[in-house]
Amino acid sequence: MALLIDKQKCSGCGACVEACPFEALSLADDKAQVNEACTLCGTCVDVCPEGALAVEEVTRAADDRAATSRGVWVFAEQRDGVLPEVVAELLGQGGRLAADLGVELSAVLLGHGVSGLAGELFALGAQTVYLADDPRLQYFNDDLYAEVLARLIALHGPEVLLAGATALGRSLIPRVATAAATGLTADCTGLAIDNQRRLLLQTRPAFGGNIMATIVCPLARPQMATVRPRVMKKAQRQEGASGRLVTMNLEAGLAAATQVLEMVRSLGEEVNLTAAEVVVVGGRGLGKPEGFDLVRHMAQELGGVVGATRGAVDAGWIGHAHQVGQTGRTIGPKLYIGLGVSGAVQHLVGMQSSEVIVAVNSDPNAPIFQVATYGIVGDLYSVAPAMLARLKELRG
Ligand SMILES: Cc1cc2nc3c(=O)[nH]c(=O)nc-3n(C[C@H](O)[C@H](O)[C@H](O)COP(=O)(O)OP(=O)(O)OC[C@H]3O[C@@H](n4cnc5c(N)ncnc54)[C@H](O)[C@@H]3O)c2cc1C
């Protein structure tokens, strides 16, 4: 593949030089020329007013795919025949995207003995369910699942494919993107449609969380994105809804290079942060590891679980399983209480969809107050015990 420059057509206007994000283009004798920094991203192709630039072959093939691919798909992961909540969240978001594009919403279900889940996917808004139900798919196997999903994509040509940024999704989806020769944006926090260009706008934190980048995949299809659990709103269930079930039979010879014989559950520390309705988070403002006794006490009183910032985890005060944020868990509880948490952007991306956010911080300018429903400026060691005492009082 290469960037082709038609010197006859090139007028030397310099639009491509200005647009190139990699400084890979320059003008020589009033004609564009390319250097080795070119990544074939295609930005220059889009801006050239003379149509003098083309990414060899890929442009034509990919343009065809963009023109013919239709529909929004959600990969409905399941474990032991149970759909995790992220599937309902993806179908909720997928439904909005499909409505904007004026296309169908479909779900893809792979496994063994899972056909009963199709009804649930219809109830969550899928109009079509693509099902591959086969003993070889009983345990998740990234090779085989990727092969089957890539085949379904090649057969039906969706324009968008969404999956959960779960352990399973993170292992599977990059393989599928590679097999389908398309792009993938991981860990999106926002998804929308640019109707004019029929493109999926995929927003996610970038450069260590310091900026929010919106990424598009203009040429290849499907446009693929993963979304963390608890970031999008769940689809409303429509009891008894039905749809089209398309089954795919796997041929006898299809096999993966590896075979999963058994699944064994991890016995490590498990903190059910993502499903908790109340999370009390301790930050570096606690000042010492014993500060988590207060956090634990408050979590216990409220029937919640203990979360932590990376600051507190890095200080060795609590295990990583409790970390909330970009490199920890994404949570969306009914109630989030932050004690001594500054509200760094990498923390906020993991908790800002919480319904009610209460922040206690001694610094009135702490960024967490910008997202807090209730902000209390003060020393957490005075405020938190006062909150607990009031709670006791209210409970009589
Ligand atoms: C690539 C990358 C990924 C990251 N991922 C994550 C992540 O997943 N999760 C995460 O949390 N961070 C993450 N971080 C780190 C993040 O940038 C912050 O450094 C971290 O969140 C800060 O933790 P903190 O709020 O506990 O500490 P600090 O920023 O030090 O804030 C402590 C706060 O406590 C307040 N305080 C101090 N004493 C008291 C008191 N007695 N009473 C009340 N308030 C008090 C202070 O005013 C201050 O606002 C990441 C950073 C990078 C670069």
Side-chain angles (χ1 to χ4, degrees):
M1 280 189 287
L3 179 70
L4 302 180
I5 303 174
D6 185 334
K7 302 268 180 189
Q8 303 288 331
K9 286 187 184 168
C10 177
S11 64
C13 69
C16 58
V17 177
E18 219 163 282
C20 177
F22 304 102
E23 297 182 353
L25 286 156
S26 57
L27 291 180
D29 298 331
D30 276 344
K31 300 287 174 197
Q33 63 173 10
V34 63
N35 65 36
E36 65 287 348
C38 176
T39 64
L40 300 172
C41 70
T43 307
C44 56
V45 177
D46 293 341
V47 299
C48 177
E50 322 297 346
L53 301 169
V55 177
E56 188 186 27
E57 285 188 26
V58 167
T59 309
R60 214 178 318 112
D63 276 349
D64 288 349
R65 277 205 279 168
T68 55
S69 301
R70 285 292 175 268
V72 174
W73 281 18
V74 165
F75 174 66
E77 76 171 75
Q78 55 79 26
R79 286 216 180 188
D80 300 332
V82 178
L83 298 168
E85 300 223 326
V86 71
V87 172
E89 292 158 12
L90 293 171
L91 285 167
Q93 183 63 25
R96 289 184 281 278
L97 300 176
D100 283 352
L101 286 163
V103 296
E104 243 195 21
L105 173 67
S106 304
V108 185
L109 180 60
L110 311 183
H112 181 47
V114 293
S115 57
L117 295 175
E120 179 62 12
L121 296 170
F122 292 136
L124 290 168
Q127 289 151 290
T128 298
V129 172
Y130 294 97
L131 169 71
D133 195 315
D134 188 283
R136 285 165 284 177
L137 300 173
Q138 173 168 12
Y139 297 122
F140 171 65
N141 177 311
D142 36 23
D143 273 349
L144 200 53
Y145 270 53
E147 173 71 29
V148 174
L149 189 46
R151 282 184 188 197
L152 281 166
I153 290 170
L155 264 174
H156 301 283
E159 61 198 303
V160 170
L161 173 65
L162 309 179
T166 56
L168 190 151
R170 283 168 202 245
S171 171
L172 170 70
I173 293 300
R175 288 167 195 266
V176 178
T178 308
T182 188
L184 165 65
T185 308
D187 286 0
C188 293
T189 51
L191 293 170
I193 297 294
D194 172 343
N195 275 106
Q196 250 179 359
R197 294 187 294 161
R198 218 182 162 79
L199 288 179
L200 180 67
L201 305 175
Q202 306 160 70
T203 302
R204 57 152 296 152
F207 294 107
N210 291 317
I211 61 161
M212 296 302 280
T214 296
I215 295 163
V216 291
C217 177
L219 300 176
R221 293 291 179 274
Q223 302 159 86
M224 291 180 51
T226 62
V227 180
R228 285 186 180 204
R230 293 266 180 157
V231 171
M232 306 290 174
K233 288 232 174 307
K234 275 198 250 176
Q236 300 259 351
R237 287 190 91 255
Q238 303 277 339
E239 210 59 61
S242 64
R244 198 164 61 104
L245 185 65
V246 180
T247 48
M248 182 197 197
N249 296 317
L250 308 191
E251 78 248 19
L254 187 65
T258 54
Q259 223 188 331
V260 181
L261 301 177
E262 195 188 357
M263 285 282 194
V264 181
R265 287 194 186 281
S266 153
L267 296 178
E269 187 181 13
E270 273 193 27
V271 185
N272 208 350
L273 273 174
T274 36
E277 297 206 330
V278 177
V279 180
V280 184
V281 173
R284 208 151 37 191
L286 293 170
K288 52 192 174 193
E290 296 76 29
F292 271 98
D293 294 343
L294 178 61
V295 181
R296 274 187 207 101
H297 181 43
M298 187 174 258
Q300 211 167 14
E301 285 297 315
L302 293 166
V305 299
V306 173
T309 64
R310 177 160 156 183
V313 172
D314 284 353
W317 299 346
I318 192 159
H320 180 261
H322 293 267
Q323 188 175 313
V324 172
Q326 188 185 322
T327 43
R329 296 297 167 97
T330 301
I331 60 170
K334 288 195 171 143
L335 175 63
Y336 166 103
I337 300 180
L339 303 177
V341 174
S342 61
V345 65
Q346 296 90 352
H347 185 73
L348 298 186
V349 294
M351 51 62 77
Q352 59 197 1
S353 65
S354 307
E355 277 178 39
V356 174
I357 297 172
V358 178
V360 182
N361 196 305
S362 50
D363 175 6
N365 297 315
I368 191 135
F369 289 133
Q370 284 166 22
V371 299
T373 324
Y374 302 101
I376 304 168
V377 179
D379 180 355
L380 69 92
Y381 287 105
S382 314
V383 177
M387 287 166 78
L388 284 166
R390 179 76 180 127
L391 190 66
K392 218 171 184 177
E393 212 176 280
L394 287 172
R395 285 177 175 163

